[in-house]
Amino acid sequence: EVQLAESGGGLVQAGGSLRLSCAVSGFTLDENDYGVGWFRQAPGKEREGLACFNNIEGSTSYTDSVKGRFTISSDNAKNTVYLHMNNLNPEDTAIYYCGARGYYSCRGYLHYRGMDYWGKGTPVTVSA
């Protein structure tokens, strides 16, 4: 059974940084073909895809709004995917989720409907 668990959210001032973690169980990042994505959802808005990573495919991708500020990475020994967020601003305030799907290519557009598995999310609040 695939399970995802996010952590690392919190309150940060504008211009600050956070690192979010997505601990994965049920598949192995460097052995199984899975796409893992980071998403966020602000109140009243649709869930937005931010970054995608597929270790077997060797691909990463980012939505334009976070390119240059956010970086997705992984630690295979910990079977964990990270989202490093820099230069945060109040518009980044949201619940952040990781999602996963088997044989999901990260070379195309990342949409939340493409994911099969979800974590419960971790809240990020950026104060002005």
Side-chain angles (χ1 to χ4, degrees):
E1 179 187 5
V2 173
Q3 292 186 329
L4 309 173
E6 304 94 337
S7 61
L11 174 64
V12 63
Q13 288 186 332
S17 300
L18 278 176
R19 187 186 75 169
L20 306 183
S21 300
C22 174
V24 174
S25 61
F27 67 90
T28 304
L29 290 171
D30 61 352
E31 294 181 2
N32 303 121
D33 189 338
Y34 270 78
V36 178
W38 279 100
F39 302 77
R40 67 185 177 191
Q41 190 164 17
K45 293 189 176 181
E46 188 173 89
R47 192 167 294 190
E48 174 190 19
L50 303 175
C52 188
F53 168 82
N54 184 318
N55 202 0
I56 301 302
E57 185 182 57
S59 61
T60 57
S61 61
Y62 299 90
T63 193
D64 287 344
S65 63
V66 304
K67 276 182 184 175
R69 296 193 300 130
F70 293 8
T71 302
I72 192 169
S73 67
S74 70
D75 184 332
N76 293 334
K78 295 182 179 180
N79 215 38
T80 298
V81 179
Y82 300 100
L83 185 68
H84 306 262
M85 306 188 295
N86 297 318
N87 195 22
L88 288 161
N89 59 67
E91 289 70 37
D92 295 313
T93 295
I95 306 293
Y96 284 69
Y97 300 89
C98 61
R101 180 174 182 172
Y103 302 103
Y104 186 88
S105 175
C106 290
R107 301 189 192 281
Y109 179 71
L110 178 63
H111 196 280
Y112 72 90
R113 290 189 177 137
M115 299 287 110
D116 286 335
Y117 305 100
W118 292 98
K120 294 181 179 180
T122 185
V124 172
T125 302
V126 184
S127 62

